[in-house]
C-alpha cells in the first residue's frame, strides 16, 4: 500500500505519494487547501493508502511554529474522516528551502522556481523521502 505525504498550508497543500511497493516517492498534486478533504476522499477511494504523513511545522529550535495549531487541527480532522488510515506527522523544517535548491539544481527557469504550487509538491516529496529513510522503508 502507498504512503501519502502532505505539506499542508493555509492556501495550498502539496501532496506526494509512494508507489505501491514504497520504492519511489513522487510529487502527486497541489490542491487548494479548502478542497483538500474532497481530494483526499476521492484519492483514498481510488488508491490503497496505509499511511498519511503530514509535515509538522517546527521552528529551528524544535518548538512548534506559528502554524502548528492549524496543522494539528487538520491532522485531527483527517483522523476523524479516515479512521482506517494510519496518520503520522514528520518534521518539515527547511523543506521549502531544500525544495527551492532542488529546483535550482534541476535547472528550472526563474519563473518556474517561483511557482508556489510546485514548491509545495516538492516539499511534500522531501517530507516523504525523509520519513521513509527515518522509518527504514526507503
Amino acid at each position: 500500500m502507498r504512503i501519502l505525504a502532505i505539506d499542508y498550508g493555509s492556501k495550498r497543500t502539496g501532496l506526494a505519494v509512494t508507489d505501491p511497493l514504497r520504492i519511489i516517492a513522487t510529487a502527486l498534486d497541489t490542491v487548494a487547501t479548502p478542497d483538500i478533504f474532497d481530494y483526499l476522499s476521492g484519492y483514498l477511494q481510488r488508491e490503497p493508502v496505509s499511511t498519511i504523513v503530514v509535515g509538522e511545522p517546527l521552528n529551528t529550535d524544535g518548538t512548534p511554529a506559528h502554524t502548528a495549531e492549524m496543522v494539528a487541527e487538520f491532522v485531527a480532522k483527517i483522523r476523524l474522516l479516515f479512521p482506517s488510515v494510519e496518520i503520522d506527522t514528520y518534521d518539515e523544517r527547511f523543506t521549502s528551502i531544500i525544495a527551492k535548491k532542488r529546483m535550482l539544481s534541476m535547472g528550472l527557469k526563474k519563473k518556474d522556481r517561483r511557482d508556489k504550487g510546485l514548491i509545495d509538491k516538492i516539499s511534500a516529496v522531501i517530507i516523504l523521502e525523509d520519513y521513509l529513510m527515518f522509518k527504514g522503508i526507503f
Side-chain angles (χ1 to χ4, degrees), residues 81 121 129:
L81 293 174
K121 279 194 285 193
E129 288 173 345

Side-chain angles (χ1 to χ4, degrees), residues 45-65:
Q45 287 177 11
R46 291 187 312 273
E47 297 292 338
V49 173
S50 64
T51 307
I52 296 175
V53 180
V54 180
E56 183 177 17
L58 300 172
N59 293 313
T60 54
D61 64 359
T63 60

Side-chain angles (χ1 to χ4, degrees), residues 66-100:
H66 69 282
T67 56
E69 187 174 324
M70 175 183 70
V71 172
E73 290 171 8
F74 172 71
V75 169
K77 189 167 182 180
I78 289 177
R79 284 192 171 112
L80 184 67
L81 293 174
F82 311 109
S84 64
V85 179
E86 178 185 347
I87 310 298
D88 206 351
T89 59
Y90 191 77
D91 183 355
E92 70 170 22
R93 282 181 282 187
F94 311 115
T95 55
S96 293
I97 294 167
I98 296 167
K100 289 176 186 175

